[in-house]
Amino acid sequence: MLRLLKIDLIKLTNYRAFNVLNILYAVLIVSIPITVIEFLKWLKVKGAEFDGFDPMKIPVLHFTDIWQNVTYVYTFLKIFLAIVIIISVSNEFSYKTVRQNIIDGFSRVDFLKSKLATILLLSVGSTVLVFFTCLVTGLIYTPNLDYGDVFTGSEFVFAYFLDLLAYLIFAFFLTVLFKRSALTVFMLLLYRPIEGTIIGLLPDSIDFIGDYLPMQAFSALIEVPFPRYWFQEIQDYVAFDAVAVVLLYIVLFVAAIHYKLKNSDL
């Protein structure tokens, strides 16, 4: 597996888009908490107080809220890494490198493993960056820090990892279907509104099915956290059934990719 990963990374590092998108993604991960704090400071300087309440006291980046708040926002950035995967896979088809690799002794399963290894590496790397960004930010900005609370809620980092991993494998699946990068990116962006339309059209008697469609299932890992700040009830934990559904989708997408690669003309 490591050998396959090294071969795939050698290919990827020659693509300028791979380096640009990964750097941009990392910069956004690190800069978003800083931007939030600077915005709250700006509100305070401009005298924007809410019935005398200091906006800097909103615990958006404090322990224990930070884990859910930040990971929820970061899920919207996963399109950058998805494009990396789409470019990686589509170029294999466009430049016939996958066919050449098979001629040179690779199997179709080896191709699948190499891309899954790259997806896993990107997911783990991103998750580690997210974890330390949340940890450092929370340590800096949490007032009256209680070290017993530091890791409370950090399970949302695992939820972020699962969400990202499933989304990248979904992007891999779409690329194997459509093979062209531009078309795949378009279909990936179009899929969410299509799924939303399907959910809206479901009869009330079976509308629960909508909760188990892919994007909806991925989103259920980290529910919207911000209504808590206007005293609305939220789901402030990672639901076991949401994890189970996403794991099932990962298995299904990998199986579908394997089937497609096995039965298609590369």
Side-chain angles (χ1 to χ4, degrees):
M1 183 69 82
L2 287 176
R3 181 176 67 91
L4 296 174
L5 176 60
K6 289 178 181 178
I7 292 172
D8 203 46
L9 289 178
I10 290 171
K11 297 177 188 175
L12 283 174
T13 51
N14 290 322
Y15 300 143
R16 184 179 180 184
F18 172 78
N19 299 308
V20 170
L21 287 169
N22 276 290
I23 291 171
L24 178 59
Y25 184 82
V27 169
L28 287 171
I29 291 291
V30 174
S31 64
I32 283 177
I34 299 172
T35 304
V36 170
I37 287 296
E38 292 304 317
F39 176 69
L40 293 176
K41 287 180 179 178
W42 179 82
L43 286 178
K44 183 177 181 179
V45 169
K46 293 298 181 181
E49 294 189 357
F50 307 95
D51 294 328
F53 181 75
D54 183 353
M56 285 297 294
K57 292 183 179 179
I58 302 173
V60 176
L61 297 179
H62 299 175
F63 294 123
T64 59
D65 291 5
I66 187 173
W67 298 109
Q68 184 175 6
N69 292 346
V70 173
T71 53
Y72 173 77
V73 172
Y74 286 161
T75 59
F76 292 94
L77 303 179
K78 58 192 175 187
I79 184 63
F80 291 98
L81 295 185
I83 292 173
V84 169
I85 295 303
I86 290 169
I87 291 172
S88 169
V89 177
S90 63
N91 282 350
E92 298 275 8
F93 294 113
S94 298
Y95 300 128
K96 309 297 183 183
T97 51
V98 59
R99 180 180 297 177
Q100 186 60 48
N101 285 342
I102 290 174
I103 292 173
D104 293 339
F106 275 41
S107 68
R108 298 177 188 230
V109 173
D110 287 335
F111 173 73
L112 173 61
K113 287 180 178 179
S114 70
K115 296 305 176 186
L116 290 178
T118 299
I119 288 173
L120 183 60
L121 178 65
L122 288 175
S123 300
V124 170
S126 177
T127 302
V128 170
L129 181 60
V130 166
F131 174 79
F132 282 108
T133 300
C134 290
L135 181 62
V136 172
T137 303
L139 289 172
I140 292 172
Y141 293 111
T142 302
N144 305 316
L145 182 63
D146 181 351
Y147 287 97
D149 292 334
V150 167
F151 296 107
T152 301
S154 60
E155 65 270 14
F156 282 104
V157 177
F158 171 71
Y160 166 82
F161 167 75
L162 271 187
D163 176 75
L164 179 60
L165 180 66
Y167 190 75
L168 296 186
I169 292 175
F170 180 62
F172 182 14
F173 169 66
L174 290 181
T175 313
V176 170
L177 284 181
F178 299 111
K179 293 186 171 63
R180 298 182 181 276
S181 58
L183 177 59
T184 305
V185 171
F186 175 74
M187 293 305 298
L188 182 63
L189 295 173
L190 187 64
Y191 178 78
R192 184 176 285 276
I194 289 175
E195 186 176 287
T197 302
I198 293 172
I199 292 172
L201 294 175
L202 288 173
D204 291 342
S205 58
I206 58 170
D207 62 353
F208 67 92
I209 293 175
D211 295 335
Y212 298 98
L213 295 178
M215 294 300 107
Q216 198 70 14
F218 300 169
S219 299
L221 287 169
I222 307 175
E223 296 285 357
V224 184
F226 303 115
R228 76 173 104 205
Y229 299 119
W230 46 91
F231 308 108
Q232 293 187 17
E233 186 176 348
I234 66 162
Q235 180 178 305
D236 58 355
Y237 60 91
V238 180
F240 175 79
D241 57 342
V243 172
V245 171
V246 172
L247 287 174
L248 178 60
Y249 266 120
I250 289 173
V251 172
L252 290 175
F253 286 139
V254 171
I257 294 166
H258 178 262
Y259 177 83
K260 179 65 177 177
L261 290 174
K262 182 180 178 181
N263 293 280
S264 61
D265 181 13
L266 302 179

